[in-house]
């Protein structure tokens, strides 16, 4: 579990370091993201695939929290926040669940 927690921290830090200057240069993500999907090609295919992974992440987080109001808010954050959100969420859950993987996955 310690390696998993280290991975969560490292992925959050790496993603934050990479994302901060990109966001500062161009804070409007949606036009290029959906524009690449609309244009076709491999970048659009990757974005389309990634959007479904974000959707699965959001659905899982919402389901795990029984679609309560808080769970629905977390689901939206999972969809919009991607790996940045999920790395922190899984780190917190791994501590709260004392490393019990079944508890982490199903709540």
């Amino acid at each position: 579990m310690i390696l998993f927690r280290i991975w969560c921290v490292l992925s959050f830090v790496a993603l934050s370091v990479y994302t901060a200057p990109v966001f500062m240069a161009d804070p409007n993500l949606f036009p290029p993201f959906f524009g690449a999907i609309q244009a076709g090609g491999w970048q659009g295919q990757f974005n389309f695939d990634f959007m479904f992974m974000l959707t699965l992440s959001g659905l899982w987080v919402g389901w795990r929290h029984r679609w309560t109001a808080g769970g629905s808010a977390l689901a939206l954050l999972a969809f919009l926040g991607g790996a940045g959100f999920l790395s922190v969420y899984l780190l917190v859950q791994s501590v709260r669940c004392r490393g019990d993987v079944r508890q982490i996955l199903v709540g």
Side-chain angles (χ1 to χ4, degrees):
M1 187 56 57
I2 190 71
L3 291 176
F4 176 72
R5 290 176 180 162
I6 290 169
W7 171 253
C8 286
V9 170
L10 290 177
S11 63
F12 177 78
V13 170
L15 189 57
S16 297
V17 167
Y18 186 90
T19 302
V22 172
F23 181 79
M24 296 302 285
D26 186 8
N28 197 355
L29 162 73
F30 296 109
F33 183 85
F34 289 109
I37 293 172
Q38 186 178 18
W42 283 114
Q43 183 62 49
Q45 188 281 335
F46 180 85
N47 289 1
F48 196 56
D49 183 281
F50 180 60
M51 186 173 62
F52 282 104
M53 294 299 293
L54 291 170
T55 302
L56 282 173
S57 174
L59 289 171
W60 171 70
V61 169
W63 170 83
R64 189 178 179 282
H65 290 275
R66 315 288 189 259
W67 292 108
T68 61
S72 296
L74 287 172
L76 182 60
L77 282 173
F79 178 75
L80 296 174
F85 168 84
L86 203 57
S87 61
V88 173
Y89 178 81
L90 287 171
L91 178 63
V92 169
Q93 292 306 319
S94 75
V95 172
R96 291 180 77 201
C97 297
R98 296 185 174 96
D100 181 350
V101 175
R102 178 172 163 67
Q103 185 68 22
I104 293 168
L105 292 174
V106 297

